[in-house]
Amino acid sequence: MRKTEHIIDTIGSIDDLIESNNEIINKFNDLLWARYLKFKEYIKDNKTNTLKTKNIASITTGKKNANAASPNGKYAFFTCSLEDYKTDNYCFDCEAIIIAGNGAINVKYYNGKFDAYQRTYIITTKENFFYLYFIYKDSINSLIASSKGSVINFITLNMLQEIDVAMTSISEHKDFETQCSIIMNNIFSLKQKNEKLNKIKQQYLNKYFG
């Protein structure tokens, strides 16, 4: 009985850690969004030129079918879902903006090895990465409103390529990228910790209550 209580307490402590990390993640996300809105307002008053997203980013798609997902996979697998999945192999190893092209159309960030489902867009750029990431998040509702399809709505490559990107001085963009990178690295680290904690929790559940 005491052992069972100890295990339950341990699982509860793991849940508490995950919840605490999620609260910090939410605060970091709010900070990032506020920083973007401030930068967006600055650019509005100090714009030097406007580009299309196709001029500053490379956009490709995943190639895998849904059955590429593996419950015990090692690598992240992005689909047209809000849920996180895993797979046994990877095709991408980079910092990327990932947009689900149909289903639960959404924008995600990832840095590392991963793979992706068909109709999932992988966007990379050597400059202004986080600025572009937030522009896509800022545009997601209009993209959804413009999506096509009689059965399942989807967004097209052309939609992602033709979004306007207002620019200002190089130094201001670099400052914005540096600040966002620091915050996003903290978020990414906390998410990885939560992933490990969830695995430990599942091991306890399988061993003692499975």
Side-chain angles (χ1 to χ4, degrees):
M1 184 67 179
R2 289 181 178 177
K3 184 176 181 181
T4 300
E5 291 176 351
H6 174 69
I7 298 303
I8 292 173
D9 287 343
T10 300
I11 293 172
S13 296
I14 292 172
D15 283 334
D16 288 343
L17 282 172
I18 293 172
E19 183 178 353
S20 177
N21 286 341
N22 282 333
E23 289 176 357
I24 297 171
I25 288 170
N26 289 336
K27 289 179 181 178
F28 275 140
N29 278 324
D30 289 343
L31 181 61
L32 276 174
W33 188 250
R35 182 67 189 90
Y36 164 69
L37 292 179
K38 183 178 179 181
F39 187 54
K40 179 183 176 182
E41 193 64 26
Y42 174 86
I43 292 179
K44 183 180 178 181
D45 297 328
N46 298 274
K47 184 173 70 173
T48 57
N49 66 321
T50 301
L51 302 172
K52 295 292 185 180
T53 45
K54 65 183 177 183
N55 299 130
I56 61 176
S58 173
I59 306 177
T60 187
T61 60
K63 306 299 180 185
K64 297 297 174 62
N65 294 318
N67 59 11
S70 173
N72 300 312
K74 183 178 179 181
Y75 307 104
F77 181 54
F78 293 98
T79 68
C80 295
S81 169
L82 292 173
E83 292 184 56
D84 295 326
Y85 294 96
K86 293 290 184 179
T87 187
D88 295 322
N89 302 293
Y90 70 92
C91 290
F92 303 91
D93 185 3
C94 59
E95 187 173 43
I97 302 161
I98 299 163
I99 300 180
N102 61 24
I105 298 172
N106 63 89
V107 181
K108 294 179 180 178
Y109 166 88
Y110 196 78
N111 189 5
K113 297 174 180 177
F114 65 94
D115 212 334
Y117 172 68
Q118 299 168 9
R119 189 59 78 173
T120 301
Y121 294 97
I122 316 301
I123 303 167
T124 57
T125 180
K126 293 182 179 179
E127 297 180 344
N128 300 307
F129 178 89
F130 289 106
Y131 181 43
L132 189 61
Y133 167 74
F134 283 110
I135 284 174
Y136 276 122
K137 288 187 76 70
D138 204 7
S139 304
I140 194 64
N141 288 332
S142 60
L143 286 170
I144 292 171
S146 301
S147 59
K148 302 177 179 181
S150 56
V151 179
I152 299 176
N153 285 359
F154 62 90
I155 55 177
T156 65
L157 176 62
N158 187 63
M159 291 177 185
L160 298 178
Q161 290 178 325
E162 293 297 324
I163 295 174
D164 288 331
V165 181
M167 306 294 291
T168 187
S169 70
I170 294 175
S171 62
E172 291 293 336
H173 278 283
K174 285 185 176 180
D175 286 345
F176 176 77
E177 292 297 313
T178 298
Q179 293 172 25
C180 289
S181 180
I182 292 170
I183 299 170
M184 188 63 85
N185 284 340
N186 284 322
I187 292 174
F188 199 63
S189 177
L190 287 168
K191 286 185 175 181
Q192 288 181 316
K193 287 179 180 178
N194 277 356
E195 189 173 312
K196 292 178 181 178
L197 287 169
N198 275 313
K199 285 182 179 179
I200 294 171
K201 174 185 173 181
Q202 194 59 50
Q203 288 171 355
Y204 274 111
L205 290 172
N206 292 341
K207 183 174 182 179
Y208 295 102
F209 305 101

